[in-house]
C-alpha cells in the first residue's frame, strides 16, 4: 500500500511575482483555499496520509497552514465561522506532516532526492501543488494508485498539450498499451517544439518506486543545469518500466496567471456556487 506523498515546495514561484515575493506560491488561494490544500486533499482521497514537504526558505506559511492556530480557533469559537475551518481541521487529524529542507535549488530531481529521508524504501506519490487537478469521478492520484497496484512500477500523469507549448514540460514517447496507457520508451525535459518526440506532457502527479533515489543520485544535471526527474525516470524506463497515464479529469497550471484565473473560474462555477446553493 502507498501511504506517503511528497510535496516539493521549495521553488521560488518566480512566474508569479510579485505575489510570491513574501508568500509561498503554494499558499495562493483558488477561491477560499490555498493550492497546497487541494493537493493534500487529493493525496488523502488516494489513501496517502503521510504527507512530506520538501520545503525551503520563506515557506513557513505552509507549516502554519497544516497546524492548529490556537489564537484563531479561540477567537472564532462558538461563531458561525468555525465551519470554515472544518476542512483543514479534518486534514490535520487525518494526516501526519513531515518537513525537510532543500538547501540549494538544484531542480525537481534533487528536491525529490531530498525527500528520501521522509520516504525511505517504499513507493510514494509526488504532487506539484501548482498543477491543480480535478479527476472526473475520482482524483487523479487515486486513479494512479490503482494503476500502480496493477503495474508495480513508476507512473506519470500525462496530457496532450499544444505542440507550441512542449518546451514547458517533460515530454514522453512510448508504446501504447491501451487508450490511456503508454509504456514509456523516451522522455525529454522541456524540448524545443522541433525536437519534441510527441506532445504528451508530464503534469505534476507521479507515483515513484523507491529505486528512483539511487537513480537520481547518479543522474547528472540536465536541462537548465538542474537534476531533472524526467532524466531519472528515463533511465528507470530503460532498465525496467515506467507507465504514462492519460488521466481522466482536468488540470490547471496555476503557476501562471492564465491557468490560475481559469482554475478560479472553474472552481467558482463547479464547486463554490454548488456549495453555496
Ligand atoms: C516540472 C517537471 C516537468 C513537468 C512539470 C509539470 O517542471 O520538470 O517535467 O512537465 O513540472 O508541471 P516545472 O513546471 O517545475 O518547471
Amino acid at each position: 500500500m502507498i501511504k506517503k506523498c511528497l510535496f516539493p515546495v521549495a521553488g521560488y514561484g518566480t512566474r508569479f511575482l510579485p505575489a510570491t515575493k513574501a508568500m509561498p506560491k503554494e499558499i495562493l488561494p483558488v477561491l477560499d483555499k490555498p493550492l497546497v490544500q487541494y493537493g493534500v486533499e487529493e493525496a488523502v482521497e488516494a489513501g496517502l496520509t503521510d504527507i512530506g514537504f520538501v520545503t525551503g526558505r520563506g515557506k513557513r506559511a505552509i507549516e502554519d497552514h497544516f497546524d492548529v492556530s490556537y489564537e484563531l480557533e479561540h477567537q472564532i469559537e462558538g461563531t458561525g465561522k468555525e465551519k470554515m475551518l472544518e476542512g483543514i481541521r479534518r486534514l490535520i487529524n487525518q494526516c501526519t506532516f513531515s518537513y525537510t529542507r532543500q538547501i540549494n535549488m538544484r531542480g525537481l530531481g534533487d528536491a525529490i532526492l531530498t525527500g528520501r529521508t521522509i520516504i525511505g524504501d517504499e513507493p510514494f506519490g509526488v504532487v506539484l501543488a501548482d498543477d491543480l487537478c480535478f479527476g472526473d469521478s475520482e482524483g487523479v492520484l487515486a486513479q494512479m494508485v490503482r494503476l500502480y497496484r496493477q503495474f508495480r512500477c513508476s507512473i506519470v500523469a500525462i496530457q496532450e498539450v499544444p505542440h507550441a507549448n512542449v518546451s514547458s514540460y517533460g515530454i514522453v514517447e512510448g508504446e501504447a498499451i491501451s487508450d490511456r496507457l503508454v509504456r514509456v520508451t523516451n522522455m525529454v525535459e522541456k524540448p524545443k517544439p522541433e525536437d519534441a518526440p510527441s506532445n504528451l506532457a508530464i503534469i505534476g502527479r507521479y507515483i515513484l518506486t523507491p529505486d528512483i533515489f539511487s537513480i537520481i543520485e547518479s543522474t547528472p544535471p540536465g536541462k537548465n543545469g538542474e537534476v531533472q526527474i524526467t532524466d531519472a525516470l528515463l533511465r528507470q524506463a530503460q532498465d525496467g518500466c515506467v507507465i504514462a497515464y492519460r488521466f481522466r479529469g482536468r488540470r490547471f497550471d496555476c503557476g501562471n496567471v492564465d491557468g490560475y484565473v481559469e482554475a478560479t473560474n472553474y472552481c467558482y462555477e463547479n464547486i463554490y456556487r454548488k456549495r453555496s446553493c
Side-chain angles (χ1 to χ4, degrees):
M1 270 301 290
I2 306 184
K3 294 303 294 175
K4 295 185 179 176
C5 191
L6 207 58
F7 286 72
V9 296
Y12 295 127
T14 47
R15 287 189 295 162
F16 232 120
L17 283 168
T20 49
K21 184 167 175 253
M23 178 177 74
K25 64 175 172 174
E26 296 80 9
I27 292 292
L28 283 171
V30 169
L31 304 182
D32 52 4
K33 200 156 70 177
L35 273 171
V36 68
Q37 188 176 331
Y38 289 92
V40 172
E41 285 172 354
E42 187 185 328
V44 170
E45 187 205 338
L48 280 55
T49 51
D50 290 354
I51 307 296
F53 289 98
V54 177
T55 180
R57 290 176 289 280
K59 298 283 182 160
R60 277 272 303 280
I62 296 174
E63 292 175 50
D64 291 339
H65 187 70
F66 293 104
D67 196 357
V68 175
S69 168
Y70 286 104
E71 235 178 84
L72 176 67
E73 304 243 339
H74 179 71
Q75 186 75 30
I76 64 173
E77 205 180 329
T79 74
K81 288 185 178 148
E82 266 188 315
K83 68 174 186 314
M84 298 171 93
L85 288 181
E86 273 169 10
I88 182 68
R89 272 193 198 144
R90 205 173 319 119
L91 281 188
I92 292 170
N93 289 336
Q94 283 173 305
C95 298
T96 64
F97 298 94
S98 310
Y99 300 86
T100 186
R101 276 205 185 202
Q102 187 181 12
I103 306 296
N104 299 304
M105 301 304 122
R106 292 206 192 102
L108 182 56
D110 180 66
I112 291 173
L113 182 59
T114 306
R116 183 185 212 166
T117 176
I118 295 176
I119 300 298
D121 192 25
E122 50 188 285
F124 60 103
V126 175
V127 169
L128 306 184
D130 49 5
D131 272 341
L132 182 55
C133 292
F134 297 102
D136 280 349
S137 53
E138 62 179 344
V140 175
L141 214 51
Q143 297 172 34
M144 294 170 75
V145 165
R146 259 192 305 112
L147 278 178
Y148 172 78
R149 289 203 197 105
Q150 189 184 342
F151 289 96
R152 300 275 156 186
C153 69
S154 291
I155 317 274
V156 297
I158 52 166
Q159 71 173 172
E160 279 182 47
V161 296
H163 216 79
N165 298 351
V166 291
S167 56
S168 301
Y169 299 94
I171 299 296
V172 309
E173 180 182 19
E175 296 149 9
I177 301 176
S178 67
D179 224 21
R180 295 192 174 271
L181 298 177
V182 174
R183 186 179 292 270
V184 174
T185 54
N186 190 18
M187 271 181 160
V188 193
E189 179 68 9
K190 304 195 173 96
K192 290 187 196 140
E194 59 270 30
D195 300 331
S198 78
N199 65 339
L200 297 176
I202 303 172
I203 60 112
R205 298 292 182 277
Y206 306 76
I207 302 282
L208 300 175
T209 53
D211 55 310
I212 198 72
F213 292 126
S214 56
I215 301 176
I216 298 171
E217 270 178 329
S218 62
T219 298
K223 189 82 187 183
N224 302 328
E226 296 178 335
V227 178
Q228 300 295 347
I229 190 62
T230 306
D231 297 340
L233 278 163
L234 174 59
R235 288 175 55 203
Q236 205 178 36
Q238 286 165 341
D239 294 346
C241 171
V242 172
I243 300 288
Y245 169 54
R246 211 189 299 243
F247 62 95
R248 293 172 197 275
R250 296 200 57 169
R251 167 255 178 191
F252 299 93
D253 177 6
C254 291
N256 70 61
V257 172
D258 290 334
Y260 181 75
V261 170
E262 244 184 87
T264 302
N265 288 333
Y266 176 86
C267 289
Y268 185 64
E269 290 304 329
N270 293 281
I271 302 173
Y272 192 79
R273 295 236 309 207
K274 285 181 186 154
R275 196 169 69 194
S276 313
C277 52

